[in-house]
C-alpha cells in the first residue's frame, strides 16, 4: 500500500463525517423534515451533508422564503442537539485528536456551538480551543468563509493549511479557500481530494522539528 506525506502549518477539521459519525441522527431528523414537506427523503439526504440547515432547505425548496428556512433551521438544530443516540467517533479520531493536541488546529463546522459541543461530547472527543461554528459565518459551505476564518484565527495563510472534510460542500469550500484537502470516508472518495482515507486510522501525525506538521497517509 502506497503512502503520501503532506506537510502543513495548521489543520482545519470539519466535524460531522470527519471526526464524528452523526449520520444516524442526521438521517432521522432530515427524513422527518423531508416527509413533512412532501419531499423524497433519499433525495434530501444527498444534499444535506456539509451545509448549514437553512442552505440545504434553500436547495430543496428553492421558492420558499428564506425566513421560513431560518425558522425551520432553528427547530432542526434543537432537534439534532437533543438527539445524540448513535453519535460515535469516526475510526481513529480519538488517537488523531490526541496526536494533534499540541499542534495548530481548528474545528470548522456547519453546526452551531451547542450542536458541536453536544456531538463532540457524545463522541468523547476534545473540543479544539479554536473553532468556527455556524454563528461566526455569514455563508454556509461550500463558501470558503469558515475555513478562511479558521486559518486567520490560527495565524496562517491558506496555502499553509490542510482541510479534513467528508462532504461535497465541505471539499468545495476547502478548495475555494485555496487549501489542500484530505477527504475522509465514502462520500469524499469520488470528489478528488488531494488525499483520501476511509477513516483516521490511516493517518500518522508527525510534529517536525521546524514546527510544521507532517501527515503520513496510508493508501492515499
Amino acid at each position: 500500500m502506497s503512502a503520501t506525506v503532506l506537510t502543513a502549518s495548521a489543520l482545519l477539521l470539519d466535524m460531522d463525517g470527519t471526526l464524528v459519525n452523526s449520520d444516524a441522527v442526521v438521517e432521522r431528523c432530515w427524513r422527518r423534515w423531508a416527509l413533512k414537506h412532501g419531499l423524497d427523503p433519499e433525495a434530501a439526504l444527498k444534499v444535506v451533508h456539509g451545509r448549514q440547515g437553512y442552505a440545504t432547505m434553500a436547495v430543496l425548496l428553492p421558492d420558499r422564503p428564506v425566513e421560513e428556512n431560518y425558522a425551520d433551521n432553528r427547530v432542526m438544530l434543537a432537534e439534532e442537539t437533543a438527539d445524540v443516540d448513535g453519535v460515535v467517533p469516526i475510526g481513529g479520531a480519538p488517537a488523531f485528536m490526541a496526536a494533534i493536541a499540541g499542534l495548530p488546529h481548528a474545528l470548522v463546522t456547519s453546526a452551531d456551538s451547542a450542536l458541536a459541543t453536544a456531538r463532540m461530547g457524545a463522541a468523547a472527543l476534545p473540543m479544539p480551543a479554536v473553532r468556527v461554528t455556524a454563528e461566526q459565518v455569514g455563508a454556509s459551505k461550500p463558501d470558503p468563509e469558515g475555513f478562511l476564518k479558521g486559518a486567520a484565527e490560527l495565524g496562517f495563510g491558506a496555502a499553509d493549511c490542510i482541510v479534513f472534510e467528508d462532504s461535497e460542500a465541505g471539499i468545495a469550500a476547502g478548495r475555494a479557500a485555496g487549501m489542500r484537502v484530505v477527504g475522509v470516508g465514502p462520500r469524499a472518495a469520488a470528489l478528488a481530494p488531494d488525499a483520501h482515507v476511509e477513516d483516521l486510522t490511516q493517518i500518522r501525525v508527525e510534529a517536525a522539528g521546524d514546527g510544521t506538521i507532517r501527515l503520513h497517509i496510508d493508501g492515499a
Side-chain angles (χ1 to χ4, degrees), residues 3-50:
T4 296
V5 179
L6 298 178
T7 302
S9 297
L11 308 178
L12 301 176
L13 314 171
D14 174 52
M15 181 180 69
D16 293 303
T18 301
L19 298 176
V20 172
N21 183 345
S22 57
D23 281 1
V25 180
V26 171
E27 292 191 9
R28 279 196 296 274
C29 292
W30 281 96
R31 281 182 190 280
R32 282 198 303 268
W33 183 89
L35 290 170
K36 179 181 175 182
H37 291 86
L39 300 172
D40 176 7
E42 299 306 320
L45 291 173
K46 288 179 181 177
V47 298
V48 66
H49 296 288

Side-chain angles (χ1 to χ4, degrees), residues 27-96:
E27 292 191 9
R28 279 196 296 274
C29 292
W30 281 96
R31 281 182 190 280
R32 282 198 303 268
W33 183 89
L35 290 170
K36 179 181 175 182
H37 291 86
L39 300 172
D40 176 7
E42 299 306 320
L45 291 173
K46 288 179 181 177
V47 298
V48 66
H49 296 288
R51 292 180 171 88
Q52 290 188 42
Y54 74 84
T56 294
M57 293 168 190
V59 171
L60 295 170
L61 296 173
D63 297 325
R64 193 166 80 145
V66 67
E67 293 79 9
E68 292 185 34
N69 293 339
Y70 281 116
D72 260 15
N73 188 46
R74 288 192 290 273
V75 174
M76 178 72 73
L77 283 171
E79 290 179 358
E80 289 189 292
T81 302
D83 183 357
V84 293
D85 186 27
V87 173
V88 295
I90 292 290
F96 176 77

Side-chain angles (χ1 to χ4, degrees), residues 10-218:
L11 308 178
L12 301 176
L13 314 171
D14 174 52
M15 181 180 69
D16 293 303
T18 301
L19 298 176
V20 172
N21 183 345
S22 57
D23 281 1
V25 180
V26 171
E27 292 191 9
R28 279 196 296 274
C29 292
W30 281 96
R31 281 182 190 280
R32 282 198 303 268
W33 183 89
L35 290 170
K36 179 181 175 182
H37 291 86
L39 300 172
D40 176 7
E42 299 306 320
L45 291 173
K46 288 179 181 177
V47 298
V48 66
H49 296 288
R51 292 180 171 88
Q52 290 188 42
Y54 74 84
T56 294
M57 293 168 190
V59 171
L60 295 170
L61 296 173
D63 297 325
R64 193 166 80 145
V66 67
E67 293 79 9
E68 292 185 34
N69 293 339
Y70 281 116
D72 260 15
N73 188 46
R74 288 192 290 273
V75 174
M76 178 72 73
L77 283 171
E79 290 179 358
E80 289 189 292
T81 302
D83 183 357
V84 293
D85 186 27
V87 173
V88 295
I90 292 290
F96 176 77
M97 293 301 287
I100 68 170
L103 304 173
H105 68 282
L107 189 74
V108 181
T109 175
S110 294
D112 67 4
S113 182
L115 181 57
T117 299
R119 287 188 176 162
M120 292 291 280
L125 295 175
M127 178 65 82
V130 177
R131 48 196 177 267
V132 179
T133 57
E135 299 95 331
Q136 294 163 269
V137 297
S140 174
K141 299 172 185 175
D143 191 282
E145 181 185 359
F147 286 125
L148 292 171
K149 282 196 169 182
E153 199 161 332
L154 291 170
F156 295 101
D160 297 319
C161 297
I162 290 178
V163 164
F164 282 72
E165 264 287 0
D166 73 300
S167 70
E168 183 175 9
I171 289 174
R175 285 207 187 102
M179 300 171 183
R180 291 159 293 159
V181 180
V182 174
V184 180
R187 282 188 288 270
L191 301 172
D194 294 278
H196 176 258
V197 294
E198 290 303 320
D199 63 29
L200 298 173
T201 62
Q202 291 176 245
I203 297 176
R204 181 170 63 84
V205 179
E206 176 193 358
D210 61 357
T212 59
I213 303 165
R214 292 170 64 84
L215 301 174
H216 299 261
I217 305 172
D218 293 331

